[in-house]
Amino acid sequence: MKRTFNQNFILRKSKTNALPTIYLRVTIDGLRTEISANRNCPTDQWNSSQGRVIGRTDVAKKLNSYLDAIEFRIYEIQKELMASGTEFNGDLIKMRFLGLDLEKQKMLVEIFNHHNDQFSELVGKEFSIRTLKKFNTSIRYVKEFILWKYKVKDIQIRHLDFEFINDFEFYLKSKAGCSHNTAMQYIKKHYCPTKILKG
Protein backbone atom coordinates (compact mmCIF):
# COMPACT_ATOMS: atom_id res chain seq x y z
CA MET A 1 0.00 0.00 0.00
CA LYS A 2 1.38 3.39 -1.01
CA ARG A 3 1.89 5.71 1.94
CA THR A 4 1.72 9.49 1.93
CA PHE A 5 4.80 11.28 3.21
CA ASN A 6 5.37 15.00 3.63
CA GLN A 7 7.60 17.32 5.62
CA ASN A 8 7.57 21.07 6.19
CA PHE A 9 9.15 23.49 8.63
CA ILE A 10 7.02 25.55 11.00
CA LEU A 11 7.56 28.03 13.84
CA ARG A 12 6.47 27.35 17.40
CA LYS A 13 6.66 29.54 20.49
CA SER A 14 9.80 28.57 22.39
CA LYS A 15 9.75 27.37 26.00
CA THR A 16 13.25 28.60 26.75
CA ASN A 17 13.85 31.39 24.23
CA ALA A 18 12.12 34.68 23.43
CA LEU A 19 12.23 33.79 19.72
CA PRO A 20 10.04 31.05 18.21
CA THR A 21 11.71 27.69 17.54
CA ILE A 22 11.82 26.09 14.11
CA TYR A 23 10.32 22.60 13.96
CA LEU A 24 10.19 20.07 11.16
CA ARG A 25 6.73 18.56 10.86
CA VAL A 26 6.77 15.07 9.33
CA THR A 27 3.36 13.83 8.18
CA ILE A 28 2.88 10.17 7.31
CA ASP A 29 -0.60 9.02 6.28
CA GLY A 30 -2.04 12.10 7.96
CA LEU A 31 -0.24 11.53 11.30
CA ARG A 32 2.11 14.31 12.39
CA THR A 33 5.43 14.12 14.23
CA GLU A 34 7.46 17.23 15.03
CA ILE A 35 11.24 17.46 15.38
CA SER A 36 12.99 20.52 16.76
CA ALA A 37 15.63 22.01 14.47
CA ASN A 38 17.22 23.61 17.56
CA ARG A 39 17.23 26.96 15.78
CA ASN A 40 15.19 30.11 16.37
CA CYS A 41 13.76 32.71 14.01
CA PRO A 42 11.74 35.93 14.46
CA THR A 43 8.19 35.61 13.14
CA ASP A 44 8.61 38.57 10.78
CA GLN A 45 11.63 36.90 9.16
CA TRP A 46 9.86 33.61 8.46
CA ASN A 47 8.12 32.58 5.23
CA SER A 48 5.44 30.16 6.45
CA SER A 49 4.40 29.04 2.95
CA GLN A 50 7.96 28.05 2.01
CA GLY A 51 9.04 27.00 5.49
CA ARG A 52 12.25 28.99 5.23
CA VAL A 53 13.90 32.18 6.51
CA ILE A 54 13.28 35.31 4.49
CA GLY A 55 16.23 37.20 3.04
CA ARG A 56 19.58 36.80 1.28
CA THR A 57 21.87 37.60 4.20
CA ASP A 58 24.63 35.16 5.16
CA VAL A 59 22.72 34.29 8.33
CA ALA A 60 19.53 33.53 6.39
CA LYS A 61 21.41 31.50 3.76
CA LYS A 62 23.25 29.42 6.38
CA LEU A 63 20.06 28.72 8.32
CA ASN A 64 18.15 27.74 5.18
CA SER A 65 21.00 25.46 4.12
CA TYR A 66 20.86 23.86 7.56
CA LEU A 67 17.12 23.27 7.15
CA ASP A 68 17.73 21.82 3.67
CA ALA A 69 20.21 19.36 5.21
CA ILE A 70 17.70 18.25 7.85
CA GLU A 71 15.00 17.76 5.23
CA PHE A 72 17.38 15.74 3.03
CA ARG A 73 18.42 13.55 5.98
CA ILE A 74 14.77 12.80 6.81
CA TYR A 75 14.17 11.70 3.21
CA GLU A 76 17.26 9.49 3.45
CA ILE A 77 15.97 7.85 6.62
CA GLN A 78 12.58 7.24 4.99
CA LYS A 79 14.25 5.60 1.98
CA GLU A 80 16.46 3.45 4.23
CA LEU A 81 13.47 2.20 6.20
CA MET A 82 11.46 1.49 3.07
CA ALA A 83 14.38 -0.33 1.42
CA SER A 84 14.84 -2.54 4.50
CA GLY A 85 11.13 -3.36 4.65
CA THR A 86 10.89 -1.93 8.16
CA GLU A 87 7.44 -0.84 9.30
CA PHE A 88 7.87 2.77 10.28
CA ASN A 89 6.07 5.86 11.49
CA GLY A 90 6.98 9.43 12.38
CA ASP A 91 8.25 8.49 15.84
CA LEU A 92 10.70 5.94 14.44
CA ILE A 93 12.00 8.42 11.87
CA LYS A 94 12.40 11.01 14.62
CA MET A 95 14.25 8.60 16.92
CA ARG A 96 16.57 7.51 14.11
CA PHE A 97 17.27 11.14 13.22
CA LEU A 98 18.10 11.90 16.87
CA GLY A 99 20.15 8.71 17.19
CA LEU A 100 17.81 7.26 19.81
CA ASP A 101 16.72 4.04 18.11
CA LEU A 102 19.90 1.93 18.18
CA GLU A 103 19.31 -1.52 19.64
CA LYS A 104 20.84 -2.69 22.92
CA GLN A 105 21.94 0.78 23.94
CA LYS A 106 21.85 1.66 27.61
CA MET A 107 18.72 3.73 28.23
CA LEU A 108 18.49 6.33 30.98
CA VAL A 109 15.00 5.60 32.36
CA GLU A 110 15.58 1.86 32.07
CA ILE A 111 18.79 2.14 34.14
CA PHE A 112 17.10 4.37 36.69
CA ASN A 113 14.15 1.97 37.08
CA HIS A 114 16.53 -0.95 37.58
CA HIS A 115 18.40 1.02 40.24
CA ASN A 116 15.17 1.86 42.09
CA ASP A 117 13.97 -1.75 41.94
CA GLN A 118 17.20 -2.94 43.55
CA PHE A 119 17.14 -0.06 46.05
CA SER A 120 13.60 -0.98 47.15
CA GLU A 121 14.77 -4.47 48.17
CA LEU A 122 17.26 -2.91 50.60
CA VAL A 123 14.74 -0.63 52.32
CA GLY A 124 14.76 -1.41 56.02
CA LYS A 125 18.15 -3.10 55.72
CA GLU A 126 20.52 -0.43 54.46
CA PHE A 127 18.25 2.40 53.31
CA SER A 128 15.06 4.16 54.43
CA ILE A 129 11.68 4.28 52.70
CA ARG A 130 12.03 8.08 52.69
CA THR A 131 15.14 7.89 50.48
CA LEU A 132 13.38 5.48 48.10
CA LYS A 133 10.47 7.92 47.78
CA LYS A 134 12.94 10.65 46.80
CA PHE A 135 14.47 8.41 44.13
CA ASN A 136 10.98 7.59 42.81
CA THR A 137 10.11 11.28 42.67
CA SER A 138 13.37 11.98 40.86
CA ILE A 139 12.70 9.40 38.14
CA ARG A 140 9.20 10.79 37.70
CA TYR A 141 10.71 14.22 37.01
CA VAL A 142 13.28 12.67 34.64
CA LYS A 143 10.50 10.96 32.64
CA GLU A 144 8.48 14.17 32.46
CA PHE A 145 11.57 16.15 31.40
CA ILE A 146 12.53 13.70 28.63
CA LEU A 147 9.00 13.80 27.27
CA TRP A 148 8.98 17.61 27.48
CA LYS A 149 12.38 18.12 25.83
CA TYR A 150 12.77 15.19 23.43
CA LYS A 151 9.11 14.11 22.97
CA VAL A 152 10.13 10.48 23.59
CA LYS A 153 9.81 8.19 26.63
CA ASP A 154 13.49 7.33 27.07
CA ILE A 155 16.92 8.28 25.73
CA GLN A 156 20.32 6.62 25.49
CA ILE A 157 22.69 7.13 28.38
CA ARG A 158 25.23 8.66 25.99
CA HIS A 159 23.00 11.75 25.75
CA LEU A 160 23.54 12.46 29.44
CA ASP A 161 25.81 15.49 29.09
CA PHE A 162 26.15 19.05 30.35
CA GLU A 163 23.33 20.30 28.12
CA PHE A 164 21.01 17.61 29.48
CA ILE A 165 21.83 18.48 33.11
CA ASN A 166 21.51 22.21 32.44
CA ASP A 167 18.13 21.82 30.73
CA PHE A 168 16.95 19.40 33.43
CA GLU A 169 17.81 22.00 36.07
CA PHE A 170 15.83 24.62 34.12
CA TYR A 171 12.86 22.23 33.89
CA LEU A 172 12.88 21.47 37.63
CA LYS A 173 12.95 25.15 38.55
CA SER A 174 10.59 26.54 35.90
CA LYS A 175 8.12 23.71 35.24
CA ALA A 176 8.24 21.54 38.37
CA GLY A 177 8.45 24.52 40.72
CA CYS A 178 11.48 23.24 42.65
CA SER A 179 13.77 25.52 44.63
CA HIS A 180 17.46 25.61 43.75
CA ASN A 181 18.46 23.28 46.59
CA THR A 182 15.65 20.82 45.84
CA ALA A 183 16.54 20.81 42.13
CA MET A 184 20.18 20.05 42.97
CA GLN A 185 19.09 17.12 45.16
CA TYR A 186 17.02 15.62 42.34
CA ILE A 187 19.85 16.09 39.86
CA LYS A 188 22.25 14.26 42.19
CA LYS A 189 19.77 11.40 42.62
CA HIS A 190 19.23 11.27 38.86
CA TYR A 191 23.00 11.11 38.31
CA CYS A 192 23.63 8.43 40.96
CA PRO A 193 22.20 5.38 39.08
CA THR A 194 24.13 6.26 35.92
CA LYS A 195 27.55 7.47 37.09
CA ILE A 196 29.12 4.01 37.00
CA LEU A 197 27.95 3.48 33.41
CA LYS A 198 29.25 6.90 32.38
CA GLY A 199 32.73 6.08 33.63
Side-chain angles (χ1 to χ4, degrees):
M1 180 180 69
K2 186 176 181 180
R3 307 185 67 183
T4 61
F5 180 90
N6 184 52
Q7 54 177 322
N8 63 290
F9 288 97
I10 62 171
L11 283 187
R12 281 201 178 282
K13 185 177 180 180
S14 176
K15 297 175 181 177
T16 60
N17 196 300
L19 296 176
T21 300
I22 302 173
Y23 280 82
L24 176 64
R25 176 179 289 169
V26 178
T27 307
I28 302 175
D29 295 337
L31 298 178
R32 296 174 175 175
T33 301
E34 293 182 359
I35 306 170
S36 174
N38 293 314
R39 295 292 187 276
N40 303 94
C41 179
T43 304
D44 60 358
Q45 295 179 24
W46 182 255
N47 186 322
S48 57
S49 62
Q50 295 183 5
R52 292 293 187 276
V53 181
I54 298 171
R56 302 291 297 173
T57 64
D58 287 342
V59 173
K61 289 179 180 178
K62 288 180 180 179
L63 183 48
N64 285 333
S65 294
Y66 174 73
L67 299 181
D68 289 341
I70 292 178
E71 192 173 62
F72 180 75
R73 177 56 186 149
I74 294 298
Y75 276 124
E76 279 190 328
I77 292 172
Q78 181 216 15
K79 291 178 180 178
E80 290 168 2
L81 291 170
M82 291 182 67
S84 67
T86 303
E87 185 67 26
F88 67 91
N89 54 25
D91 287 338
L92 179 57
I93 288 178
K94 177 178 180 177
M95 292 182 72
R96 179 157 296 190
F97 176 76
L98 296 174
L100 304 175
D101 72 322
L102 300 179
E103 295 181 359
K104 297 183 179 179
Q105 293 289 325
K106 296 180 176 114
M107 305 299 286
L108 177 58
V109 173
E110 182 181 358
I111 291 169
F112 210 128
N113 283 333
H114 179 67
H115 167 271
N116 285 10
D117 288 342
Q118 289 186 325
F119 194 98
S120 66
E121 295 181 11
L122 298 176
V123 169
K125 300 175 183 177
E126 297 183 27
F127 305 104
S128 68
I129 186 67
R130 182 180 178 183
T131 303
L132 176 61
K133 288 180 179 179
K134 289 181 179 179
F135 272 117
N136 286 335
T137 301
S138 183
I139 185 56
R140 176 168 61 84
Y141 282 140
V142 169
K143 289 178 179 177
E144 292 173 357
F145 167 70
I146 291 173
L147 190 61
W148 173 77
K149 179 175 173 63
Y150 300 99
K151 303 299 186 296
V152 295
K153 293 183 179 180
D154 204 354
I155 62 171
Q156 294 173 14
I157 192 68
R158 66 187 180 87
H159 292 284
L160 185 59
D161 54 16
F162 176 78
E163 180 182 354
F164 181 99
I165 298 298
N166 188 60
D167 289 347
F168 184 44
E169 179 185 352
F170 169 81
Y171 176 84
L172 289 172
K173 293 178 179 179
S174 65
K175 304 298 179 181
C178 297
S179 66
H180 175 77
N181 289 340
T182 300
M184 292 302 100
Q185 290 177 5
Y186 284 131
I187 288 173
K188 288 178 182 178
K189 283 182 169 53
H190 144 261
Y191 182 66
C192 174
T194 62
K195 62 182 179 181
I196 295 177
L197 294 171
K198 290 290 286 183

